[in-house]
Structure formats: structure tokens, C-alpha cells
Amino acid sequence: MSDALLCVKQLTVSYGGIHAVKGIDFQVAEGERVTLIGANGAGKTSSLRAVTGLQRYGGDIRFAGRSIRGVPPYQLLRQGLVMVPEGRGIFSRMTVRENLLMGAYLRRDGEGIKRDLAEIYSIFPRLQERLAQPAGLLSGGEQQMLAIGRALLSRPRLLILDEPSMGLAPIVVAAIFAVINRIGRQGVTLLLVEQNARLALQSTDRAYVLDSGSVSHSGESAGMLDDAKIRQAYLGE
Ligand code: ATP
């Protein structure tokens, strides 16, 4: 899969003497939904930060065939590499509408933006009801939806979601994953980092399990859900 949309080889990330990521390989093909799962501190966020140009790394990261080394994050964003960060990155004093439109700031196709906004309102009716409110007044789940909506409005080639379930009540998490499944079915290429391994495996095609900075397992998500060892180690059974 060397022609994958995202191709990561021998990735290492270190903080001083701490080796957080120890030479991992993973790929995401166009249209595919891939997850990185693993315990706290396994190296998931460090890997994502490297892929999005936010973190110095060793090894090779290619997006759409080209190395991302030295390419600043805003250039990667222009190329369609879009991340919804852990903590969401919402501008709390701006309105919901203003936050959403930030996702479209590189676009000049007014009609296309209107169509995409209508689609986003159909996915997230709660956002449409609250367009004029400051985003800081939204609940945690609504802010997560806003962050995903904003990312979708930038027409990502690869949408990266970092811990979308973080800090949310189970019922809200279920709603967020329903949306993630819908987006995936529409053909958006997804890379999902998630501590809730069960949900992550249920929502993706393939998975990599990170353990202390290395890939301990990889394969089809459905197969991993059935794997007794994975179930015991990562699904709490
Ligand atoms: P989490 O779910 O907690 O975000 P993770 O799998 O994303 O976990 P990372 O955040 O990538 O893991 O962290 C991997 C390791 O690197 C951990 O041991 C962590 O303590 C360490 N680490 C992460 N960021 C830094 C930093 N800025 N300075 C020093 N060590 C760090």
C-alpha cells in the first residue's frame, strides 16, 4: 500500500530521553477508515502530532505521495490533511456560525459552501438551532460536533479525529460515533485515535494497536473485535 493516501514508515517521536513512538508503520488508503487504539500513553497523540506537522519526528511520513517533512501545518491543511484535536479547539467567544465558517476560509466556492453547510445542518441539527450563540455556551458534545462540522466544511482529503469521546457522557459518545459512522459511509477518509477501543473498532475498517510506542497488533477491525486476546487486553473482557 505504498500508494496509500497516508503512508507512515518507521515513525519515531522522542521527548528528550523519552521514546514515545518507537518506529511504527501504518497506512490509510483513500476512502478507508483506520483507527489507532491503545492505552493511555501508548503514543497515539504523538503519532498524530507528527502526521499533522506539529511534532518533530524520525522516519518517513507521506501524504498523497509526498513527504510532509518541513511542510508547515497550515500547508498540510491546504492539502486536505485536517485534524480535529483532542479538546476540540473551539473559539468560545465566537458564534457557532463563525466557528463553522472558519472551516471554509480557504474556499472561494460560495455555492459549494452553502450546499455543504446544509448537509452539515442535516447531520447536526442542534448546531443549526444555535448558530447565533457563542460556541462557549455549547455542551461538550455539541462542541465536539461543531469541531467535526468545521473540519468537514474544509472538505478534508483525510479527516483525523483525536479522542472524540474524551470527557463525554456515554449517550453523547454514542451520538458522536453515529455521526462518525455516517461520515465514514459517505466516503470521507478517516484516521481515528480513540481510547474506547470497542467503539473505534466498530466504526472502522482497519486498526493498529499501539503498546508503549510500538504496534503490537494490526488488521481488520471486525476481526479484532472477535479476537479473544484483543478482547481480553483492550476491550476489558
Ligand atoms: P493519551 O491517550 O494519554 O493521549 P497517547 O497514546 O496519545 O496517550 P502520547 O500522548 O502520545 O500517548 O504520549 C506517549 C508518551 O510520551 C507518554 O509516556 C507521555 O508521557 C510522553 N509525552 C507525551 N508528550 C510529552 C511531552 N510534551 N513531553 C514529555 N513527554 C511526553
Side-chain angles (χ1 to χ4, degrees):
M1 262 207 284
S2 55
D3 58 347
L5 181 59
L6 179 71
C7 187
V8 175
K9 287 206 172 118
Q10 289 303 304
L11 177 68
T12 56
V13 176
S14 301
Y15 305 99
I18 300 171
H19 301 298
V21 180
K22 301 172 184 162
I24 65 170
D25 294 358
F26 63 95
Q27 284 97 34
V28 184
E30 197 109 45
E32 206 181 19
R33 302 169 304 165
V34 172
T35 186
L36 307 181
I37 56 178
N40 236 327
K44 305 182 298 295
T45 298
S46 299
S47 301
L48 287 193
R49 287 177 52 80
V51 163
T52 48
L54 296 168
Q55 173 67 53
R56 281 173 54 129
Y57 65 91
D60 189 36
I61 302 176
R62 282 175 190 273
F63 181 64
R66 279 187 291 184
S67 169
I68 69 151
R69 186 169 297 285
V71 183
Y74 72 90
Q75 282 290 356
L76 294 173
L77 187 66
R78 276 175 194 266
Q79 292 170 27
L81 188 74
V82 178
M83 174 156 77
V84 177
E86 193 177 311
R88 299 151 201 149
I90 292 300
F91 299 97
S92 54
R93 285 194 219 159
M94 287 166 55
T95 65
V96 170
R97 184 197 303 276
E98 287 164 344
N99 268 277
L100 269 179
L101 289 175
M102 293 280 290
Y105 86 107
L106 288 172
R107 293 176 61 178
R108 295 287 171 269
D109 57 326
E111 284 306 310
I113 294 173
K114 261 194 214 153
R115 268 199 308 277
D116 286 357
L117 271 175
E119 169 72 15
I120 286 166
Y121 296 153
S122 85
I123 304 176
F124 306 110
R126 293 283 289 169
L127 293 184
Q128 188 172 20
E129 290 163 19
R130 290 162 176 253
L131 284 175
Q133 288 188 12
L137 295 182
L138 298 181
S139 69
E142 289 164 348
Q143 289 190 12
Q144 183 66 55
M145 302 218 180
L146 175 56
I148 295 174
R150 182 177 61 188
L152 287 175
L153 205 56
S154 67
R155 291 251 173 113
R157 271 191 90 181
L158 173 62
L159 179 61
I160 301 179
L161 302 173
D162 190 5
E163 300 276 7
S165 75
M166 177 73 92
L168 301 178
I171 187 163
V172 182
V173 172
I176 298 278
F177 271 83
V179 163
I180 292 171
N181 284 327
R182 175 167 171 175
I183 295 168
R185 279 197 302 272
Q186 286 171 344
V188 175
T189 307
L190 282 178
L191 176 59
L192 168 69
V193 157
E194 181 52 58
Q195 275 197 46
N196 187 326
R198 183 183 309 277
L199 274 175
L201 292 174
Q202 284 168 346
S203 313
T204 51
D205 304 307
R206 279 190 319 111
Y208 297 84
V209 181
L210 294 194
D211 192 350
S212 307
S214 301
V215 173
S216 61
H217 299 81
S218 65
E220 291 192 0
S221 302
M224 285 205 195
L225 275 171
D226 292 335
D227 182 319
K229 271 197 226 131
I230 300 272
R231 294 174 77 100
Q232 206 175 17
Y234 299 101
L235 305 182
E237 291 182 7

